[in-house]
Amino acid sequence: SDGEDDSAFDTAMPPKANRFSQGPEVGDSSIGVGSFLSPGSPQRQNSNRSPRSVMEEEEEILVFVETPNKKLFCRLCNNVFRDPVIVSCGHTYCKSCVLSSIDGVCPVDENKLMIMVANIAVSEQISELVVYCKYGCRYDEASSKFVVDPSRCPVTLRIGSRLEHERDCDYMMIECPNNAGCPMFLKKDLEDHLRSCSNVHCPYQKYSCDFIGTQDELEDHLKVCRFEGMKDFLQRTDERVTDLQMSLNQKGQEVEFLRSMLGRLSERLENLEKTVDMKLELVDRNQNKIMDEILNNQKDISAMTEEMSNINNRINLGATAGAYDPISMFKCKGTWVGHMGPVWCLCAIGDFLFSGSTDKTIKVWDTSSSYKCVKTMEGHTGIVLALCTYGHNLFSGSQDCTIIVWNVDTYESTHVIKAHDNPVCTLVAASNMLFSGSLKVIRVYDVHTFELKKELTGLNHWVRALAATSDYLFSGSYQTVKVWSLHTLECVRDLETSGGSVYSIAITNHHVLCGTYENCIHVWELNTFQQLDTLMGHSGTVYALAVLHTASGTKVFSASYDRSLRSGVVNSCATPF
C-alpha cells in the first residue's frame, strides 16, 4: 500500500538491481517499462521454474505505458509483482519467488517466508496498469528489452484485460490452416493468404483424393472429382459410421458397468461368507459364555441362599439382643437408566428419588413399587448441579444460573429465581431460608416468598458445598470452611483446611466433616470447632459425604473420584474414627 515504509523498501532493494538498469532511462518515450522473459534475457531471481511453452513465455512480455510505482515491485526478483502473496511477517512477494527462495527468509526482517494469503489489493492495482499489446512489441538486442514497434499493433490496454485482446489480435502470427509447411503470417493477412495458398486439399482427402492446389484450382477439380457425385452417399455413410461408433462406445460403457457390478457382487458375496463365518464363531462363543453364566448363576444362587440363611439367623439374633445393623444388609438392588448424561445430584422425599443430570432434566424415580422413572421434569437450559427440598417444594440449581421451584405433588414448576451471575453449585434449606452457593457469594432467599434477603460475601472461591444445622450454616470454598450464624447471617468462624477446594460437607451429632480436592477428609468437633483428625485414604477428590445413624452407631460414607466408597464409624470421643 502507499502507506508502507519507503525506507524499509529502499534498504531491501539494492541500487541498480531493478529491471530498468539494463535499458534506457524511464523518460525514454520510445521504450516502455517492461517485465519480460525472452531469449538471452535473465529469468526472475531465485526461480526454479521448469521450461514452459512459447506462448506461456510470451505472456511474460510487459511493456508499460507509464512507469509503475516502485511499491509494486517484488523485493526478491525486483520485477513487478506476479501473483502477489502476503507472508507471515506481513510483507508481500511474488508467489513463485517465495516458493523458490533459496534461504527462505524475508530480506527485510529475516523472518521465515510462509505464505498466508493472496494480496488481492495489490493484484487489483497491477491489473489496472496500462501496457502495450505484446504483438505491438519487439525484442531489442542492443538494450536486451522489449520495445514498442510502431509498425505492429498499436493497442494499449490494462493488464487485467490484455488476454481478451491478445487472443484475437490481428497482429498475432498464425499458421496456414491448409498446410503446416506454409510460412507463418499475421492473422489480418489470413484471407489474402488463403486466396493465393497452393496447399488447399480436396474436401474428400479422407477418401483418398490426393488433390492439392489453389482455391481456384479446387473449384475446377470438384467439377471432375469422382467423389463429388457420391457426396450424398458419403454423407449418409459418415453419419451411419458416427452412429455406429456412438453405439459401440455406449455398449463398451455398458460392458464396463456390468464388469463393475459383477466385481461388486463378487466382493459382496465374499464379505457375506466372511460375515456368516464370523457369526457362527460368535454363536459358538456366546453359547459357551451362556453355559458359563448358567453355572455361575447356580453358584450365586447357592451362595445367596446360604447368605439369606445367615441374615435370618442374624435378624433373629438381633431381635433377641434388641438391635441389629442394617448396613450389613445393604446391597445394590438394581440400576436405573434414563439420563442422557452424567448424574450430578440426588435428593429423596418419601419413596421418591430425584436426580439431576447433564441432560438438563430432573427425573423422578419410584423406589417403593415399580422402580421406574415416573416423571421427567424439564425447565433448565443448563446442567442441573444441585437439589434440595423444603416442605412440599423441590429446589433445583443449574449451570444456567437459575433456581427452579417445583411442587413435589404435581411435579410442575411454580417459580423461577434468577439466582446468580454464575452457575448455582449447591443448595441447602434451613430455618425458612434457602441458601445457594456460586462464585464467591452465597445468596439467601425466603423459602416461602422467594425474595432475596441477603448476600453472604467474603468468600475466596467457588462455593461448592453447603450444610446446615439448627444454628449454623457451613460453606466450603478454597481451603476454608466458613461457619455462619443462622440468626444473624454473619460469619462466626473460619475453619482452615489444607487440601485445596472443599467439595463436600457433612454434619453428625458431634462432628463437622469436609471432603477436599486433594483426597483428604478433615474432621472438627461440632461445639468447639477444634480440628480432631485428617483422614487419608482416597486417591481422588472427595466429592460426596453422607451420614447414616444406625443402632450400632453413626456411620459416615465418602465417595471419591477414585471410584471408591469408604465408610467409618463415628465415636463421640476425641478420636472419632
Side-chain angles (χ1 to χ4, degrees):
S1 65
D2 291 339
E4 188 174 349
D5 187 0
D6 289 342
S7 60
F9 177 85
D10 293 337
T11 56
M13 181 179 289
K16 300 183 180 180
N18 59 61
R19 65 185 63 184
F20 311 123
S21 59
Q22 298 178 359
E25 294 298 324
V26 176
D28 191 336
S29 60
S30 64
I31 301 179
V33 181
S35 168
F36 52 85
L37 287 176
S38 64
S41 65
Q43 292 188 352
R44 288 171 174 254
Q45 296 180 12
N46 302 327
S47 174
N48 294 324
R49 293 178 298 176
S50 60
R52 300 184 296 177
S53 67
V54 174
M55 179 59 70
E56 289 175 324
E57 292 291 337
E58 288 181 353
E59 288 180 357
E60 295 286 341
I61 299 174
L62 294 174
V63 178
F64 294 95
V65 176
E66 296 181 359
T67 305
N69 191 313
K70 67 177 182 179
K71 295 177 183 177
L72 298 178
F73 284 73
C74 174
R75 298 182 178 92
L76 292 176
C77 64
N78 299 328
N79 291 327
V80 172
F81 286 117
R82 179 180 178 85
D83 297 329
V85 293
I86 300 175
V87 295
S88 55
C89 60
H91 296 102
T92 299
Y93 300 103
C94 300
K95 182 177 180 180
S96 59
C97 294
V98 174
L99 296 177
S100 61
S101 175
I102 297 176
D103 52 8
V105 297
C106 176
V108 178
D109 51 25
E110 297 186 353
N111 287 327
K112 184 177 179 181
L113 292 175
M114 183 180 299
I115 296 175
M116 302 301 293
V117 68
N119 195 329
I120 299 176
V122 172
S123 296
E124 291 178 349
Q125 292 183 53
I126 293 175
S127 67
E128 294 297 319
L129 296 177
V130 180
V131 295
Y132 289 96
C133 173
K134 67 180 180 181
Y135 299 114
C137 304
R138 62 177 176 81
Y139 185 72
D140 183 60
E141 296 288 347
S143 62
S144 298
K145 286 182 176 292
F146 279 92
V147 297
V148 177
D149 187 347
S151 64
R152 304 187 69 184
C153 182
V155 175
T156 60
L157 64 166
R158 292 184 176 88
I159 292 179
S161 58
R162 65 191 296 252
L163 293 180
E164 182 179 354
H165 165 77
E166 291 175 351
R167 278 195 296 262
D168 197 38
C169 181
D170 288 340
Y171 287 85
M172 67 185 298
M173 299 296 292
I174 62 174
E175 295 180 349
C176 175
N178 295 324
N179 194 307
C182 293
M184 295 183 66
F185 50 88
L186 296 179
K187 182 180 179 182
K188 66 185 183 67
D189 299 330
L190 175 61
E191 294 183 2
D192 295 338
H193 173 78
L194 291 178
R195 284 194 294 269
S196 61
C197 180
S198 60
N199 292 313
V200 178
H201 292 271
C202 177
Y204 302 107
Q205 181 184 13
K206 65 179 180 179
Y207 301 114
S208 72
C209 181
D210 55 0
F211 170 81
I212 300 177
T214 64
Q215 188 67 32
D216 294 337
E217 293 172 346
L218 174 63
E219 293 177 0
D220 295 335
H221 166 73
L222 290 177
K223 296 177 181 178
V224 297
C225 181
R226 66 182 182 276
F227 296 105
E228 180 67 13
M230 299 184 292
K231 177 171 63 175
D232 294 338
F233 171 75
L234 293 175
Q235 182 178 357
R236 290 193 300 271
T237 302
D238 287 342
E239 292 175 353
R240 180 59 178 165
V241 169
T242 302
D243 293 339
L244 291 174
Q245 186 64 42
M246 292 178 61
S247 179
L248 181 62
N249 293 337
Q250 183 177 0
K251 296 299 181 182
Q253 293 176 0
E254 292 177 358
V255 169
E256 291 298 325
F257 174 75
L258 292 175
R259 286 178 180 173
S260 175
M261 290 298 296
L262 181 60
R264 293 181 183 179
L265 290 174
S266 299
E267 182 179 357
R268 185 177 179 183
L269 179 60
E270 184 179 354
N271 292 335
L272 287 175
E273 291 177 350
K274 293 180 180 178
T275 302
V276 170
D277 293 339
M278 293 175 60
K279 288 185 176 180
L280 290 175
E281 293 178 2
L282 182 62
V283 168
D284 292 338
R285 289 198 300 268
N286 288 339
Q287 184 176 1
N288 295 331
K289 184 177 179 181
I290 290 172
M291 294 301 297
D292 293 338
E293 289 180 354
I294 290 174
L295 295 176
N296 292 332
N297 288 337
Q298 290 176 348
K299 294 179 181 179
D300 291 341
I301 291 172
S302 299
M304 289 176 63
T305 302
E306 183 179 355
E307 186 174 353
M308 289 188 66
S309 177
N310 293 333
I311 290 174
N312 288 329
N313 293 335
R314 294 178 64 182
I315 290 175
N316 295 332
L317 180 62
T320 303
Y324 71 96
D325 184 5
I327 300 302
S328 62
M329 300 174 60
F330 282 179
K331 284 194 173 182
C332 179
K333 298 182 66 175
T335 301
W336 286 324
V337 178
H339 282 296
M340 301 303 292
V343 177
W344 286 87
C345 51
L346 295 173
C347 184
I349 302 178
D351 292 329
F352 295 96
L353 178 70
F354 298 85
S355 59
S357 169
T358 299
D359 62 13
K360 307 173 187 178
T361 68
I362 302 167
K363 289 188 178 291
V364 187
W365 309 89
D366 182 4
T367 65
S368 61
S369 57
S370 66
Y371 295 96
K372 293 182 179 179
C373 177
V374 297
K375 181 71 175 181
T376 298
M377 301 155 63
E378 299 180 350
H380 284 294
T381 60
I383 299 173
V384 180
L385 297 172
L387 294 171
C388 77
T389 61
Y390 196 89
H392 288 279
N393 287 330
L394 171 72
F395 300 91
S396 61
S398 169
Q399 185 188 31
D400 61 15
C401 311
T402 66
I403 299 173
I404 297 182
V405 185
W406 310 84
N407 186 297
V408 297
D409 297 322
T410 63
Y411 306 127
E412 297 294 334
S413 171
T414 60
H415 192 78
V416 178
I417 304 173
K418 295 182 179 179
H420 292 275
D421 297 327
N422 293 286
V424 179
C425 297
T426 180
L427 293 171
V428 70
S431 300
N432 293 319
M433 291 179 287
L434 174 66
F435 300 88
S436 65
S438 185
L439 179 62
K440 298 184 179 181
V441 65
I442 301 171
R443 289 188 175 176
V444 186
Y445 295 89
D446 188 289
V447 79
H448 301 295
T449 64
F450 314 123
E451 294 181 355
L452 179 64
K453 297 183 64 175
K454 189 172 181 178
E455 284 191 357
L456 308 183
T457 58
L459 299 143
N460 60 7
H461 207 265
W462 287 96
V463 180
R464 293 189 173 94
L466 291 174
T469 64
S470 58
D471 297 316
Y472 298 108
L473 170 72
F474 298 84
S475 65
S477 53
Y478 181 72
Q479 294 190 341
T480 305
V481 174
K482 284 186 175 289
V483 185
W484 309 81
S485 170
L486 291 181
H487 305 292
T488 63
L489 297 180
E490 298 293 337
C491 181
V492 297
R493 192 67 178 261
D494 285 339
L495 307 180
E496 300 295 333
T497 70
S498 60
S501 294
V502 176
Y503 276 79
S504 54
I505 298 176
I507 312 295
T508 71
N509 293 334
H510 303 285
H511 302 93
V512 180
L513 302 94
C514 79
T516 68
Y517 177 78
E518 296 181 1
N519 320 334
C520 61
I521 301 173
H522 295 283
V523 185
W524 293 271
E525 204 278 325
L526 179 60
N527 295 324
T528 64
F529 301 120
Q530 178 184 356
Q531 185 167 353
L532 302 178
D533 202 356
T534 298
L535 308 178
M536 306 297 294
H538 285 294
S539 60
T541 301
V542 181
Y543 280 113
L545 293 170
V547 177
L548 183 64
H549 300 285
T550 69
S552 61
T554 301
K555 297 187 177 183
V556 175
F557 298 85
S558 60
S560 169
Y561 184 76
D562 62 13
R563 303 182 182 180
S564 70
L565 292 168
R566 292 178 177 265
S567 65
V569 178
V570 182
N571 301 316
S572 58
C573 57
T575 304
F577 291 89

